Amino acid sequence: MENNPTNKGNTNKKLKHQANQDSQGANGDNPEIWATFDQSFKQVQSVLDRNRALIQQVNDNHQSRIHDNMVKNVALIQELNGNISKVVLLYSDFSSNFSTVFNRHDDGEGPKNGD
């Protein structure tokens, strides 16, 4: 998989632009909610970036065929597995929060501060 920082930057800009537009909505939207969602995405992205670096290190170690590097891969792969669990948990929390906020909005309550 090729790393394309330009494309990643454009995607992030589009997401931020959309989040900024949404946070300024006329329907009483709460900017704090969007900030919370933004923070959740940043946490996920941080873990995914770490995973990318771990995968590269595992690949480099494997290609070196040096025994000590292969042994290091065990810990690196364990960290990857833990990070995947973190991403699943972060997305699960995000999904739950998103559903809660928009279910309240659909019920006529609107988003609440602190959600």
Side-chain angles (χ1 to χ4, degrees):
M1 183 180 295
E2 185 177 331
N3 186 6
N4 186 342
T6 303
N7 189 26
K8 179 181 166 188
N10 289 340
T11 301
N12 286 340
K13 286 179 186 176
K14 288 178 186 176
L15 290 173
K16 286 179 184 178
H17 176 71
Q18 184 64 40
N20 286 339
Q21 285 182 333
D22 291 342
S23 69
Q24 298 168 1
N27 297 328
D29 292 343
N30 186 336
E32 292 178 27
I33 292 169
W34 294 109
T36 301
F37 291 158
D38 185 54
Q39 182 61 31
S40 295
F41 281 123
K42 287 178 181 177
Q43 288 175 326
V44 168
Q45 189 61 52
S46 174
V47 175
L48 293 175
D49 289 343
R50 174 65 180 151
N51 282 358
R52 181 181 299 115
L54 288 170
I55 290 167
Q56 185 60 51
Q57 186 62 51
V58 167
N59 286 336
D60 292 346
N61 288 348
H62 182 74
Q63 289 176 355
S64 75
R65 299 189 184 266
I66 298 171
H67 177 74
D68 289 341
N69 288 347
M70 300 293 251
V71 171
K72 290 176 186 176
N73 276 356
V74 173
L76 295 174
I77 292 169
Q78 288 172 341
E79 184 178 346
L80 267 169
N81 286 335
N83 286 350
I84 290 168
S85 296
K86 284 180 191 177
V87 169
V88 169
L89 181 61
L90 288 167
Y91 273 130
S92 175
D93 289 347
F94 175 81
S95 176
S96 177
N97 292 338
F98 188 84
S99 295
T100 299
V101 167
F102 284 95
N103 282 334
R104 285 184 182 169
H105 185 70
D106 287 343
D107 292 341
E109 294 180 39
K112 305 281 187 204
N113 286 337
D115 279 346

